Amino acid sequence: MRSRSAPWVLLAPFLVVFIGTMIVPIVMAIGYSFSSVERSGLLGEGGLTNSFAGFENYVKALSNANFVESIGRMVLFGIVQVTVMIVAATVLALLLETANAKWPGFFRATYFLPYGIPGVIATILWSFLYIPGLSPIVDVLGWVGLEIDFLGPNMVLWSIANIVTWTYTGYNMLIIIAQLKAIPGELYEAAKIDGASGFKVAMAIQLPLIRPALMLTIIFSIIGTLQLFAEPRLMQTMSAGITSEYTPNMSAYAFAFQYNDVGMAAAQAVIIAVSAFLLSAVALGISSWTEKRR
């Protein structure tokens, strides 16, 4: 009896923390998404009434044009930004793992350095490079006749994409490098004996064998795209193109803390989580399908 209970006693501290910090918030968010809170009095001094709302909050969320538009904006952002970032990370990893690479350790640390800078600080730093009158980049572009407003409504999304790409390319590069280092040296020796070029080795050996790392970075990036919040939230005060519901997370935040509609905010949070799960599943499905066709 004592031997059977011993594992549960040892696991109890972890299970308590895991259930309290992971499971309970998820269950509460799902519960709030099916409820409606009504306040009595101008400021709620008459108390709160919590009632079951069914799928009403989900219908309202999916009927909210700003929320639907924010999801579409993040899908476009993900297609462009994630593609550019993963391609850049892959190219950098392949270049740093070639036999002719100079100072690979120095360049690995340099490319990874932006990931160590908090997102808030990175956004503030880049904002100074976007503001006309402060930015040397804007001044240089103006000298050659290019008037670009990085904080304008049509450009601010890609200015945010630049910050995200700058921050996370080195991080994804290290994941890919770790997978490259796991490739058996015998494969490189066989390719060398066959006279394969560096490009041929990359296309025929390295890229197929780093597919798991690429899928991992793509799925992490998809989830991160739907969670985009800090960068647009900080830049909202500098750009008229960023509204309080610019991204799905900003929309949920606005409904929770500005409009005091917790049910709607919870419904949007659940939709964001389900969307991240579905997009990750689609990415895995496409990867498996292409693998079977090889």
Side-chain angles (χ1 to χ4, degrees), residues 22-52:
M22 299 293 292
I23 304 301
V24 171
I26 293 174
V27 172
M28 290 183 65
I30 295 174
Y32 281 132
S33 70
F34 290 103
S35 65
S36 175
V37 179
E38 295 182 0
R39 293 175 173 79
S40 299
L42 182 61
L43 300 175
E45 66 274 12
L48 302 176
T49 303
N50 199 337
S51 59
F52 181 70

Short mmCIF file of all heavy atoms in Angstrom, two decimals, residues 22-52:
data_model
loop_
_atom_site.label_atom_id
_atom_site.label_comp_id
_atom_site.label_asym_id
_atom_site.label_seq_id
_atom_site.Cartn_x
_atom_site.Cartn_y
_atom_site.Cartn_z
N MET A 22 -2.30 25.75 -14.72
CA MET A 22 -2.56 25.42 -16.12
C MET A 22 -4.00 25.00 -16.36
O MET A 22 -4.67 25.53 -17.26
CB MET A 22 -1.61 24.30 -16.58
CG MET A 22 -0.14 24.66 -16.50
SD MET A 22 0.35 25.95 -17.67
CE MET A 22 0.16 25.08 -19.22
N ILE A 23 -4.49 24.04 -15.61
CA ILE A 23 -5.81 23.47 -15.89
C ILE A 23 -6.93 24.39 -15.41
O ILE A 23 -7.88 24.67 -16.15
CB ILE A 23 -5.93 22.08 -15.22
CG1 ILE A 23 -4.81 21.16 -15.70
CG2 ILE A 23 -7.30 21.48 -15.55
CD1 ILE A 23 -4.79 20.94 -17.19
N VAL A 24 -6.81 24.89 -14.17
CA VAL A 24 -7.88 25.73 -13.61
C VAL A 24 -8.12 27.00 -14.44
O VAL A 24 -9.28 27.31 -14.75
CB VAL A 24 -7.56 26.07 -12.14
CG1 VAL A 24 -8.55 27.13 -11.60
CG2 VAL A 24 -7.63 24.82 -11.28
N PRO A 25 -7.06 27.76 -14.86
CA PRO A 25 -7.34 28.94 -15.69
C PRO A 25 -8.03 28.60 -17.01
O PRO A 25 -8.91 29.35 -17.46
CB PRO A 25 -5.93 29.52 -15.94
CG PRO A 25 -5.13 29.06 -14.78
CD PRO A 25 -5.64 27.69 -14.46
N ILE A 26 -7.66 27.46 -17.62
CA ILE A 26 -8.31 27.08 -18.88
C ILE A 26 -9.79 26.76 -18.64
O ILE A 26 -10.67 27.22 -19.39
CB ILE A 26 -7.58 25.86 -19.50
CG1 ILE A 26 -6.18 26.27 -19.94
CG2 ILE A 26 -8.37 25.31 -20.68
CD1 ILE A 26 -5.34 25.10 -20.43
N VAL A 27 -10.06 25.99 -17.58
CA VAL A 27 -11.46 25.64 -17.28
C VAL A 27 -12.26 26.90 -16.95
O VAL A 27 -13.41 27.05 -17.40
CB VAL A 27 -11.49 24.63 -16.11
CG1 VAL A 27 -12.93 24.39 -15.66
CG2 VAL A 27 -10.84 23.32 -16.53
N MET A 28 -11.66 27.82 -16.19
CA MET A 28 -12.37 29.06 -15.85
C MET A 28 -12.65 29.91 -17.08
O MET A 28 -13.73 30.50 -17.21
CB MET A 28 -11.55 29.85 -14.83
CG MET A 28 -11.49 29.23 -13.44
SD MET A 28 -10.59 30.24 -12.25
CE MET A 28 -11.67 31.68 -12.17
N ALA A 29 -11.66 29.98 -18.01
CA ALA A 29 -11.87 30.77 -19.24
C ALA A 29 -13.01 30.18 -20.07
O ALA A 29 -13.85 30.92 -20.60
CB ALA A 29 -10.58 30.81 -20.05
N ILE A 30 -13.02 28.85 -20.17
CA ILE A 30 -14.12 28.21 -20.93
C ILE A 30 -15.44 28.46 -20.22
O ILE A 30 -16.47 28.75 -20.86
CB ILE A 30 -13.84 26.69 -21.06
CG1 ILE A 30 -12.59 26.48 -21.92
CG2 ILE A 30 -15.05 25.99 -21.67
CD1 ILE A 30 -12.15 25.02 -22.00
N GLY A 31 -15.45 28.39 -18.89
CA GLY A 31 -16.69 28.65 -18.15
C GLY A 31 -17.17 30.08 -18.34
O GLY A 31 -18.37 30.31 -18.58
N TYR A 32 -16.25 31.06 -18.25
CA TYR A 32 -16.63 32.46 -18.45
C TYR A 32 -17.17 32.71 -19.86
O TYR A 32 -18.03 33.57 -20.07
CB TYR A 32 -15.43 33.37 -18.21
CG TYR A 32 -15.13 33.62 -16.75
CD1 TYR A 32 -13.83 33.49 -16.26
CD2 TYR A 32 -16.13 34.00 -15.87
CE1 TYR A 32 -13.54 33.72 -14.92
CE2 TYR A 32 -15.85 34.23 -14.53
CZ TYR A 32 -14.55 34.09 -14.06
OH TYR A 32 -14.27 34.32 -12.74
N SER A 33 -16.63 31.95 -20.84
CA SER A 33 -17.07 32.18 -22.23
C SER A 33 -18.53 31.80 -22.44
O SER A 33 -19.15 32.25 -23.41
CB SER A 33 -16.18 31.38 -23.19
OG SER A 33 -16.42 29.98 -23.08
N PHE A 34 -19.09 31.00 -21.53
CA PHE A 34 -20.50 30.62 -21.64
C PHE A 34 -21.37 31.37 -20.63
O PHE A 34 -22.50 30.96 -20.36
CB PHE A 34 -20.67 29.11 -21.41
CG PHE A 34 -20.13 28.27 -22.53
CD1 PHE A 34 -18.91 27.62 -22.40
CD2 PHE A 34 -20.84 28.13 -23.72
CE1 PHE A 34 -18.39 26.85 -23.43
CE2 PHE A 34 -20.32 27.37 -24.76
CZ PHE A 34 -19.11 26.72 -24.61
N SER A 35 -20.84 32.45 -20.09
CA SER A 35 -21.60 33.18 -19.07
C SER A 35 -21.71 34.64 -19.46
O SER A 35 -20.96 35.16 -20.28
CB SER A 35 -20.93 33.05 -17.70
OG SER A 35 -19.66 33.68 -17.73
N SER A 36 -22.67 35.30 -18.84
CA SER A 36 -22.89 36.73 -19.05
C SER A 36 -22.96 37.41 -17.69
O SER A 36 -23.68 36.95 -16.80
CB SER A 36 -24.18 36.97 -19.84
OG SER A 36 -24.45 38.35 -19.95
N VAL A 37 -22.19 38.48 -17.52
CA VAL A 37 -22.14 39.20 -16.25
C VAL A 37 -22.87 40.53 -16.41
O VAL A 37 -22.56 41.31 -17.30
CB VAL A 37 -20.68 39.44 -15.80
CG1 VAL A 37 -20.65 40.21 -14.49
CG2 VAL A 37 -19.95 38.10 -15.66
N GLU A 38 -23.86 40.76 -15.55
CA GLU A 38 -24.60 42.02 -15.58
C GLU A 38 -24.38 42.75 -14.26
O GLU A 38 -24.43 42.15 -13.19
CB GLU A 38 -26.09 41.75 -15.80
CG GLU A 38 -26.40 41.13 -17.15
CD GLU A 38 -27.90 40.93 -17.35
OE1 GLU A 38 -28.65 41.29 -16.42
OE2 GLU A 38 -28.29 40.42 -18.41
N ARG A 39 -24.15 44.06 -14.35
CA ARG A 39 -23.90 44.87 -13.17
C ARG A 39 -25.14 45.67 -12.83
O ARG A 39 -25.82 46.20 -13.72
CB ARG A 39 -22.72 45.81 -13.40
CG ARG A 39 -21.40 45.11 -13.55
CD ARG A 39 -20.29 46.09 -13.91
NE ARG A 39 -19.00 45.44 -13.89
CZ ARG A 39 -18.53 44.67 -14.86
NH1 ARG A 39 -19.28 44.46 -15.94
NH2 ARG A 39 -17.36 44.11 -14.77
N SER A 40 -25.40 45.77 -11.54
CA SER A 40 -26.51 46.60 -11.07
C SER A 40 -25.94 47.93 -10.59
O SER A 40 -24.95 47.95 -9.86
CB SER A 40 -27.25 45.90 -9.92
OG SER A 40 -27.78 44.67 -10.36
N GLY A 41 -26.54 49.02 -11.01
CA GLY A 41 -26.02 50.33 -10.63
C GLY A 41 -25.06 50.85 -11.68
O GLY A 41 -24.58 50.11 -12.55
N LEU A 42 -24.76 52.15 -11.58
CA LEU A 42 -23.92 52.79 -12.59
C LEU A 42 -22.52 52.20 -12.60
O LEU A 42 -21.94 51.97 -13.67
CB LEU A 42 -23.85 54.31 -12.30
CG LEU A 42 -23.04 55.15 -13.30
CD1 LEU A 42 -23.67 55.04 -14.69
CD2 LEU A 42 -22.99 56.60 -12.84
N LEU A 43 -21.95 51.93 -11.42
CA LEU A 43 -20.58 51.42 -11.32
C LEU A 43 -20.54 50.00 -10.78
O LEU A 43 -19.49 49.52 -10.36
CB LEU A 43 -19.74 52.34 -10.42
CG LEU A 43 -19.63 53.80 -10.87
CD1 LEU A 43 -18.87 54.61 -9.84
CD2 LEU A 43 -18.92 53.88 -12.22
N GLY A 44 -21.68 49.33 -10.79
CA GLY A 44 -21.71 47.95 -10.30
C GLY A 44 -21.83 47.84 -8.80
O GLY A 44 -21.60 46.78 -8.23
N GLU A 45 -22.21 48.98 -8.12
CA GLU A 45 -22.30 48.95 -6.67
C GLU A 45 -23.47 48.09 -6.19
O GLU A 45 -23.49 47.67 -5.03
CB GLU A 45 -22.43 50.37 -6.12
CG GLU A 45 -23.72 51.09 -6.49
CD GLU A 45 -23.62 51.78 -7.84
OE1 GLU A 45 -22.65 51.51 -8.55
OE2 GLU A 45 -24.52 52.57 -8.17
N GLY A 46 -24.42 47.80 -7.08
CA GLY A 46 -25.56 46.97 -6.70
C GLY A 46 -25.29 45.49 -6.79
O GLY A 46 -26.17 44.67 -6.51
N GLY A 47 -24.07 45.11 -7.16
CA GLY A 47 -23.71 43.70 -7.25
C GLY A 47 -23.68 43.19 -8.67
O GLY A 47 -24.05 43.89 -9.63
N LEU A 48 -23.21 41.97 -8.83
CA LEU A 48 -23.08 41.35 -10.14
C LEU A 48 -24.00 40.15 -10.25
O LEU A 48 -24.22 39.42 -9.28
CB LEU A 48 -21.63 40.90 -10.36
CG LEU A 48 -20.54 41.97 -10.26
CD1 LEU A 48 -19.17 41.34 -10.41
CD2 LEU A 48 -20.74 43.05 -11.32
N THR A 49 -24.55 39.96 -11.45
CA THR A 49 -25.41 38.80 -11.71
C THR A 49 -24.78 37.99 -12.83
O THR A 49 -24.58 38.50 -13.94
CB THR A 49 -26.82 39.25 -12.13
OG1 THR A 49 -27.37 40.08 -11.10
CG2 THR A 49 -27.70 38.04 -12.34
N ASN A 50 -24.43 36.75 -12.53
CA ASN A 50 -23.79 35.87 -13.50
C ASN A 50 -24.81 34.87 -14.00
O ASN A 50 -25.39 34.13 -13.21
CB ASN A 50 -22.60 35.16 -12.84
CG ASN A 50 -21.65 34.61 -13.87
OD1 ASN A 50 -22.04 34.36 -15.00
ND2 ASN A 50 -20.41 34.44 -13.48
N SER A 51 -25.04 34.83 -15.31
CA SER A 51 -26.04 33.93 -15.87
C SER A 51 -25.47 33.16 -17.05
O SER A 51 -24.49 33.60 -17.68
CB SER A 51 -27.28 34.72 -16.32
OG SER A 51 -26.91 35.68 -17.30
N PHE A 52 -26.06 32.01 -17.33
CA PHE A 52 -25.60 31.18 -18.44
C PHE A 52 -26.03 31.81 -19.76
O PHE A 52 -27.20 32.15 -19.95
CB PHE A 52 -26.20 29.77 -18.31
CG PHE A 52 -25.77 28.84 -19.40
CD1 PHE A 52 -24.46 28.38 -19.48
CD2 PHE A 52 -26.68 28.42 -20.37
CE1 PHE A 52 -24.06 27.53 -20.49
CE2 PHE A 52 -26.29 27.56 -21.39
CZ PHE A 52 -24.97 27.10 -21.45
#
